[in-house]
């Protein structure tokens, strides 16, 4: 037991590792802040502070990290306003070039370097001919739902 009291920094280090492992499972940036507090307790123990001082240093550092660093880290990693769409859903809103006339039931377009089957969105009455530009409104399976791209009047 004398060895543990002389090397209590190892106990703090063990606590920090356990808290880091819990953080890896939760990913909420709470336990990692307390792991930082445990590391501060390990430093205090290594410098020869008494156990009550080690606890105060660990708790104070953990709480300080929790209220100062965590909001910054959480904002960086958990940004909910950024649209992280991948796959076909990321193609909605893009423009495409018509390869084969697009009607309300059939057609082919070149979208993001690939050939897609396409059809006009409900309410579109005209056919879009080859070479014209369309805008992707939705993706249903392997079919792009498109609308004619608005023409710009630049003179």
């Amino acid at each position: 037991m004398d060895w543990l009291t002389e090397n209590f920094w190892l106990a703090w280090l063990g606590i920090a590792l356990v808290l880091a492992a819990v953080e890896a499972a939760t990913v909420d940036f709470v336990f990692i802040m307390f792991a930082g507090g445990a590391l501060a307790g390990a430093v205090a123990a290594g410098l020869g502070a008494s156990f009550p001082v080690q606890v105060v240093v660990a708790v104070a550092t953990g709480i300080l990290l929790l209220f100062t660093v965590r909001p910054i880290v959480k904002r960086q990693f958990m940004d909910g306003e950024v649209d992280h769409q991948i796959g076909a859903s990321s193609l909605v809103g893009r423009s495409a070039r018509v390869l084969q006339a697009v009607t309300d039931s059939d057609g082919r377009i070149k979208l993001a370097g690939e050939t897609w089957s396409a059809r006009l969105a409900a309410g579109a009455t005209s056919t879009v001919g080859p070479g014209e530009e369309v805008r992707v409104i939705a993706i249903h399976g392997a079919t792009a739902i498109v609308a004619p791209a608005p023409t710009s009047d630049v003179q």
Side-chain angles (χ1 to χ4, degrees), residues 31-95:
F31 290 99
I32 198 71
M33 299 303 150
F34 290 127
L39 288 176
V43 169
L47 294 175
S50 66
F51 182 71
V53 171
Q54 295 171 28
V55 171
V56 169
V57 167
V59 170
T61 304
I63 290 173
L64 182 69
L65 290 172
L66 187 66
F67 290 111
T68 58
V69 176
R70 182 179 179 263
I72 297 167
V73 172
K74 191 163 174 116
R75 195 173 22 235
Q76 290 295 318
F77 287 102
M78 302 290 190
D79 189 5
E81 294 181 16
V82 176
D83 186 11
H84 298 287
Q85 290 184 337
I86 59 173
S89 63
S90 68
L91 300 173
V92 174
R94 294 183 65 177
S95 60

